[in-house]
């Protein structure tokens, strides 16, 4: 049996009108320190998003979500946040904010394979 490690995840949400507090789940961000894993995965269903709010700029939203992926991967191409340690990048991305792209509260769990856990959570909470 494979050893289990602690992981943390949050659901990535699109909040078209922050004042209404309505949101759509569009992705997952998962961090596992022991596995050196930090990844964001999203699916932007444009028909679903526009049926929820016609004022959203879908190109801009896609750019925001791509930036989250780059920050998770790290490196200079992800800007100043991208060069921070992996734990700091996760904390920055999951910090409370009142913008069109937000996350749920952070939830912990135990996993043997962070990628497999990410895929399961994505299927369960986003698809």
């Amino acid at each position: 049996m494979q050893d289990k490690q602690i992981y943390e995840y949050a659901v990535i949400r699109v909040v078209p009108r922050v004042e209404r507090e309505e949101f759509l789940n569009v992705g997952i961000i998962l961090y596992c320190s022991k596995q050196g894993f930090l990844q964001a995965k999203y699916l932007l269903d444009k028909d679903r998003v526009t049926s929820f709010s016609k004022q959203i700029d879908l190109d801009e939203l896609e750019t925001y979500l791509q930036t989250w992926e780059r920050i998770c991967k790290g490196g200079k191409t992800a800007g100043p946040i991208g060069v921070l340690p992996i734990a700091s990048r996760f904390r920055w991305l999951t910090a409370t904010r009142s913008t069109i792209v937000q996350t749920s509260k952070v939830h912990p769990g135990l996993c043997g394979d962070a990628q497999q856990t990410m895929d399961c959570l994505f299927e369960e909470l986003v698809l």
Side-chain angles (χ1 to χ4, degrees), residues 37-126:
F37 185 93
L38 176 60
Q39 185 178 344
K41 181 176 182 178
Y42 72 91
L43 173 67
L44 188 56
D45 181 335
K46 294 179 181 185
D47 290 333
R48 188 171 177 222
V49 172
T50 55
S51 70
F52 196 72
S53 175
K54 301 209 183 320
Q55 289 84 23
I56 291 181
D57 181 334
L58 293 172
D59 292 332
E60 184 176 41
L61 180 56
E62 184 89 37
T63 300
Y64 289 154
L65 293 168
Q66 289 170 353
T67 300
W68 280 49
E69 286 183 324
R70 278 196 309 277
I71 290 171
C72 285
K73 288 178 186 171
K76 293 179 183 179
T77 61
I81 304 303
V83 296
L84 293 175
I86 191 170
S88 297
R89 294 194 315 261
F90 178 72
R91 299 286 172 240
W92 187 86
L93 287 167
T94 57
T96 302
R97 54 181 46 91
S98 54
T99 61
I100 193 168
V101 178
Q102 301 179 12
T103 62
S104 68
K105 292 181 181 180
V106 174
H107 306 280
L110 293 172
C111 71
D113 181 324
Q115 183 64 60
Q116 182 180 15
T117 301
M118 170 77 141
D119 293 340
C120 289
L121 286 169
F122 185 79
E123 186 173 321
E124 182 180 328
L125 300 173
V126 177

Side-chain angles (χ1 to χ4, degrees), residues 15-54:
V15 186
R17 293 181 53 197
V18 176
E19 69 278 6
R20 291 182 62 156
E21 297 183 3
E22 297 173 330
F23 60 85
L24 294 170
N25 293 348
V26 297
I28 298 289
I29 180 169
L30 189 137
Y31 165 61
C32 181
S33 175
K34 292 276 188 185
Q35 295 180 27
F37 185 93
L38 176 60
Q39 185 178 344
K41 181 176 182 178
Y42 72 91
L43 173 67
L44 188 56
D45 181 335
K46 294 179 181 185
D47 290 333
R48 188 171 177 222
V49 172
T50 55
S51 70
F52 196 72
S53 175
K54 301 209 183 320

